[in-house]
Amino acid sequence: MEPGATLPHAVLALLDAVDAETLLRDAEGLAEGLADAGWTPEVESEHFRVDGWDVVSSDRAPGLSVFADGDQRDVRGAALAVAAALAARSGEWTFCTEGPDWSAWSVEDPRWQSLDID
């Protein structure tokens, strides 16, 4: 994913659903919301996939992790696009990381090589 590229529709739909507080109420609602947003259930329960992206929900909803496949540049671009999309949605979201705040870096920034990036 190049810098500034748009996120896949299913990823944007997921961000919209989370922002509207409609997705993370219970495990059944999470599965239904992901399917409605265009995510495909995988063989493993609580695992959905679309366009090189994965969502894995926790065993205690409401909780999920989102993963993107690709080379480092693509993954960095995807992370930056998600951070920008969340920042644009509302003042309720704050960027929180255990490492440095990478949300405004370029995909070529050498700080990405740090082991502190989460």
Side-chain angles (χ1 to χ4, degrees):
M1 173 175 287
E2 288 298 314
T6 58
L7 294 168
H9 171 74
V11 174
L12 291 172
L14 174 62
L15 294 174
D16 286 340
V18 171
D19 192 41
E21 296 181 17
T22 58
L23 190 64
L24 298 176
R25 293 189 181 176
D26 58 60
E28 292 80 22
L30 176 61
E32 218 173 273
L34 288 170
D36 289 348
W39 294 82
T40 304
E42 292 291 310
V43 173
E44 304 92 12
S45 69
E46 303 167 348
H47 182 187
F48 292 77
R49 187 164 179 79
V50 68
D51 298 333
W53 290 74
D54 292 285
V55 168
V56 180
S57 64
S58 70
D59 60 344
R60 290 178 287 279
L64 58 87
S65 298
V66 180
F67 302 92
D69 294 335
D71 64 26
Q72 286 185 346
R73 181 181 174 84
D74 289 342
V75 172
R76 292 172 188 166
L80 291 169
V82 168
L86 287 173
R89 279 177 163 60
S90 75
E92 295 175 25
W93 292 98
T94 57
F95 188 82
C96 181
T97 175
E98 293 179 9
D101 179 353
W102 47 261
S103 63
W105 297 354
S106 74
V107 293
E108 300 300 333
D109 193 302
R111 293 176 287 182
W112 285 109
Q113 301 304 319
S114 169
L115 296 176
D116 295 340
I117 304 301
D118 63 348

